[in-house]
Amino acid sequence: MRSTCLEFKDLTLGYQRHAAVHHLSGVVERGSLTAVVGANGSGKSTLMKGVAGILKPISGSIDAAFRRLAYLPQQSDIDRSFPARVIDLVSLGFWQERGLLGRITRSDKTRLFACLAAVGLSGFETRSLDSLSGGQMQRALFARTMLQDADLILLDEPFNAVDERTIRDLLALIRQWADEGRTILCVLHDHALVKSHFPQTLLMARKPVAWGRTADVMTPDHLSAARTFQEAWDENAGWCEEPAPALLPQPAEDLLHDRDVARRAAHV
Amino acid sequence: MFEWLVSPFLEYGFMQRALLGSLVLSVSCAPVGVFLMLRRMSLTGDAMSHAILPGAAIGFLLFGLEIMPMTIGGLVVGLLVALGSGFVSRFTVQKEDASMAAFYLISLAVGVLLVSWRGSSVDLMHVLFGSVLALNDEALALILGIAVVTFLALGIFWRALVAECLDPLFLRSVSRIGGPTHVLFLVLVVLNLVGGFQALGTLLSVGLMMLPAVASRFWSNDVRALCGIAIAIAVVSSLGGLLLSYHASMPSGPAIIMVAGVAYLFSALFGRRGVLASALPSRRHTSA
């Protein structure tokens, strides 16, 4: 098995030809645990959608070598008013094995109950989704992710609107998945959490600002560089003429020496 | 009482046909309505029911008051409007409801022009309001066929429909079936509206689809149960509407929809999740 799980080659992703992420190059090692950090609108969710195959690259490519992918969208993308039970939501995780019509077997059910127990939701099987708290909902979604038994896991802001105890429990699950050798990309806002729990970090501002060991990436210089970028969608933005940058992760010094970093990150 | 309820259906063949037609239609339309509601497309059904008018009118102009040409015409135009508005919204910033509004209004205007171009106001009334009391074998067979197709499609694509409503991004990450499921669902909507317009007319066919569905939401919080409750409300409305139309000499289509409307108002007020249940002050509360 190859040691890389994902390789981005000058990847540009966006909507209607406006780039939301551009010129991303680099490698996600198999079994790595990476935090994806950046301001709102910096392209984190877009990158997740690109890896999940929901968005096609505008240019560049993603070389992927994984057996199965589990994607956990932002909670705001999920219709919590939909009249379904916890078990209905979690059993969506069988899709890759059972597809549209495959029967959910008794051993499947046993696995499902085990996953619910692992996230602390035993006894919630038939509770309706709209009766769950934000934390319970996230636990249910983690149970679904667990059920998918994927070797590449994408988590988009899993800790939004979630209390501290739930964050602690869910972090333990993420840790456990990483120990099992699964590759994990997790979009996060809490820098303290990133520093304490994620060995690798990708800092984004539409394009990669820095990518590598968390301690090397989360420096004041990088963070301030990541803050100054053009956030808004610009109808009149010119075509991007920027040459493809060198393969990331690169030594952090390269970026620091680039005095134009803020300006470059600022164009669309 | 028994006499009042049963004798119209025992004595008259046209009442038996009307009953059979509207019951089958109820069973087929109501679950489609439930998914329209859950996908926040409740008004799409209404728009689509207007949109099929020119298709029915073209069929009517070319072949007269024949079921198959009018049905196929309605189906083709309904799908054109559904897919056309989907296409525009997919490739531009315009949202689907806006393009749907534009497309169905164009379609409706064309339809009314076509019907009034040739044909008397009686014909127009038939296309707009249908007549459940004049269902022939062909119409009954069509409604039955549509019901079978609807149930097969809902059964086969159930998981995809639920996933597409609940967590569309997740579904897209595990399968490419989301897009085709959406199109198939639109086909089901148009099919059921076309089936309904023989009996209830283009204007009211959406009533048997949406009113029971929306009413059911006040009683349950489970998709399967919602479909069952919606079917039950639709069946009772059909039965009640036909009896009302027979005994009080009312037009049958509006009578059926009126009963469904009463069922909705009752559910909205007294349902387990209705207005009174949530608005009445209560000193007691559950512990968890």
Side-chain angles (χ1 to χ4, degrees), chain B residues 78-95:
Chain B
L79 290 179
L80 272 180
V81 168
L83 298 179
S85 61
F87 185 81
V88 169
S89 62
R90 194 183 160 82
F91 290 102
T92 66
V93 290
Q94 194 78 274
K95 293 275 185 288

Side-chain angles (χ1 to χ4, degrees), chain A residues 33-107:
Chain A
L33 174 54
T34 308
V36 181
V37 184
N40 292 328
S42 59
K44 308 181 298 296
S45 293
T46 306
L47 178 62
M48 294 291 129
K49 286 177 192 164
V51 176
I54 294 170
L55 269 183
K56 295 250 171 319
I58 294 175
S59 65
S61 64
I62 304 174
D63 280 359
F66 55 84
R67 178 179 55 82
R68 188 183 288 170
L69 172 140
Y71 167 54
L72 178 57
Q74 279 187 45
Q75 238 192 74
S76 55
D77 290 323
I78 296 165
D79 181 7
R80 284 186 58 188
S81 68
F82 188 86
R85 301 163 301 172
V86 169
I87 201 174
D88 299 321
L89 175 72
V90 176
S91 46
L92 288 180
F94 286 124
W95 193 288
Q96 283 134 316
E97 278 172 64
R98 298 286 173 246
L100 183 61
L101 292 169
R103 219 167 64 82
I104 310 291
T105 63
R106 187 172 297 178
S107 71

